[in-house]
Amino acid sequence: MEITAITPQAKDKTRCSIYVDGRFYCGLTLETTVKNRLKVGQTVTGGYLSEIQLESEKRTALDKALTHITATQKTEKEVADFLTKKGYLPATVEYVLEKMRSYGFVNDEDYAKAYAESKSKKKGVRLIRQELRAKGVSDEQAQAVLVEIDEDTQIAAAKSILEKYMRGKTADAPTLQKAYRHLLSKGFSYDVAKSALSSLGDVDEMQ
């Protein structure tokens, strides 16, 4: 394999594109390119370039990941997905995650606790569990925080949603049935939904 061109990248002047045998092979920082004395006409192996690329990516990937979590806390999966979409190698992604774990910048247990506490005032436990799973939080970690949400908190949240839903509506049987299904769609349990609706009418027949 022969390096046939090294060209600056138009969108990032700190990086350059490496072409091998006439085709684009990878992108590297200028610092890495100079440090490893890469030049046109040089014979290289794929393993050698991959090793250099990994070293080049580690720093930039970590910087991007840290910037990504500045606004809001993220799960490990969210950080990994972000870096993968940016085109970073799996080895680079794992390196960044290991660093961020050691710094305490990603912690799925802490994330799940904060997320559940915040969303429990607006959503039911079932929906929160689904959302945590989609974000990469394990079922065990989710369960550990969701059991801390008491029923009174859920009933209060369901009543708040119910109040908004029922504005301008008559509390007849068909409407209450629709309201009941609406609460279930928000992730509340059958018992919580019925408790929230109990002040508006007969809920014994709700299914």
Side-chain angles (χ1 to χ4, degrees):
M1 298 170 61
E2 180 182 330
I3 297 177
T4 50
I6 301 176
T7 61
Q9 294 187 355
K11 294 183 178 181
D12 189 345
K13 299 301 182 182
T14 66
R15 295 176 63 82
C16 61
S17 298
I18 308 297
Y19 291 82
V20 174
D21 295 335
R23 295 183 179 182
F24 173 79
Y25 187 84
C26 66
L28 298 174
T29 63
L30 292 176
E31 179 184 359
T32 300
T33 303
V34 173
K35 177 182 177 182
N36 290 276
R37 300 179 181 178
L38 298 181
K39 59 185 179 181
V40 174
Q42 180 178 351
T43 300
V44 293
T45 64
Y48 175 67
L49 284 180
S50 295
E51 184 178 339
I52 292 176
Q53 184 185 15
L54 178 58
E55 284 302 315
S56 176
E57 286 187 338
K58 283 180 178 179
R59 183 182 301 175
T60 56
L62 182 57
D63 287 343
K64 286 184 181 296
L66 293 176
T67 300
H68 184 56
I69 66 170
T70 298
T72 58
Q73 191 177 6
K74 301 289 191 303
T75 63
E76 289 191 17
K77 180 180 182 299
E78 289 175 322
V79 173
D81 289 347
F82 169 76
L83 293 175
T84 299
K85 288 179 181 178
K86 290 291 184 182
Y88 288 105
L89 298 170
T92 302
V93 174
E94 184 53 38
Y95 166 83
V96 170
L97 287 176
E98 287 181 3
K99 282 291 184 182
M100 295 182 76
R101 290 186 202 110
S102 67
Y103 295 151
F105 291 152
V106 288
N107 186 309
D108 284 0
E109 291 182 12
D110 290 346
Y111 179 94
K113 182 177 181 179
Y115 189 90
E117 288 178 354
S118 172
K119 299 301 180 180
S120 64
K121 301 177 180 63
K122 305 174 184 177
K123 302 176 181 179
V125 167
R126 283 192 299 105
L127 186 54
I128 297 172
R129 187 190 306 277
Q130 291 174 10
E131 292 174 346
L132 286 174
R133 183 181 294 123
K135 291 175 178 292
V137 176
S138 70
D139 289 338
E140 292 76 13
Q141 291 170 327
Q143 180 61 22
V145 298
L146 292 176
V147 294
E148 299 296 322
I149 301 176
D150 60 76
E151 189 173 85
D152 289 342
T153 298
Q154 284 282 275
I155 292 175
K159 285 182 176 180
S160 177
I161 292 173
L162 180 63
E163 182 181 352
K164 294 179 181 178
Y165 181 84
M166 292 298 296
R167 284 175 186 168
K169 296 183 178 70
T170 302
D172 53 28
T175 301
L176 292 181
Q177 185 67 46
K178 290 179 181 178
Y180 178 64
R181 290 198 294 268
H182 179 67
L183 291 177
L184 295 181
S185 73
K186 293 294 183 180
F188 295 104
S189 68
Y190 301 111
D191 291 340
V192 168
K194 287 183 177 181
S195 294
L197 279 162
S198 60
S199 62
L200 298 179
D202 184 10
V203 296
D204 291 338
E205 301 301 320
M206 295 289 181
Q207 296 182 356

